[in-house]
Amino acid sequence: MEVPEGCACVRSWRDILNISTIIPYTAGIFSATGIGIAPIENIYIKQINLPLSQSILSLPSRIRELYATHRSKDHALVSKKIYLKYLGQNHTIEVDWIPGVDLKKTFKKAYKQQFGFCL
């Protein structure tokens, strides 16, 4: 395949190294290289449409239940995210769930960081 004229540097390296194909190191996920090196990821979601004050006590057990149901021995990386929103809003704010951390404060901080104010 002929390399376009604007790629003189690539053409010269191709000729010097005697290679026919050049794959960039940062190949995208949908390239053959990208799909081969992409990490395997499973995402499991459980939606709870309740005010935080009503669901806060049951969150640890719900997360443990979700993790136990879908646990895979091959994938050690686990991140726990909570998506919160104010009543009447459509869009949620992602917050890391860490046991013992005040979710209301974390949510308000993330909301202010994204929108510049809190309700």
Side-chain angles (χ1 to χ4, degrees):
M1 182 172 116
E2 183 62 31
V3 178
E5 287 300 316
C7 301
C9 181
V10 172
R11 262 197 335 273
S12 65
W13 278 105
R14 181 195 63 190
D15 296 339
I16 292 169
L17 298 174
N18 194 23
I19 56 176
S20 61
T21 306
I22 297 173
I23 300 173
Y25 173 73
T26 58
I29 186 75
F30 293 112
S31 70
T33 301
I35 200 75
I37 62 172
I40 297 171
E41 184 177 349
N42 294 324
I43 299 172
Y44 304 105
I45 297 172
K46 180 160 184 83
Q47 188 171 359
I48 304 167
N49 287 321
L50 292 172
L52 185 59
S53 60
Q54 291 178 13
S55 61
I56 192 76
L57 295 176
S58 66
L59 277 178
S61 62
R62 289 177 191 252
I63 290 173
R64 277 193 305 274
E65 176 187 329
L66 185 65
Y67 179 71
T69 305
H70 300 289
R71 186 167 69 201
S72 171
K73 294 176 183 171
D74 298 334
H75 307 102
L77 180 62
V78 175
S79 64
K80 297 170 185 155
K81 308 283 184 188
I82 303 287
Y83 297 88
L84 300 170
K85 65 179 183 173
Y86 283 115
L87 186 64
Q89 290 189 335
N90 292 325
H91 301 289
T92 59
I93 303 289
E94 180 182 286
V95 175
D96 287 325
W97 184 77
I98 302 167
V101 172
D102 185 351
L103 282 176
K104 284 184 182 180
K105 284 183 182 177
T106 307
F107 170 71
K108 286 183 178 185
K109 181 179 176 184
Y111 192 92
K112 187 171 185 175
Q113 183 177 1
Q114 185 166 344
F115 296 109
F117 64 94
C118 278
L119 297 177

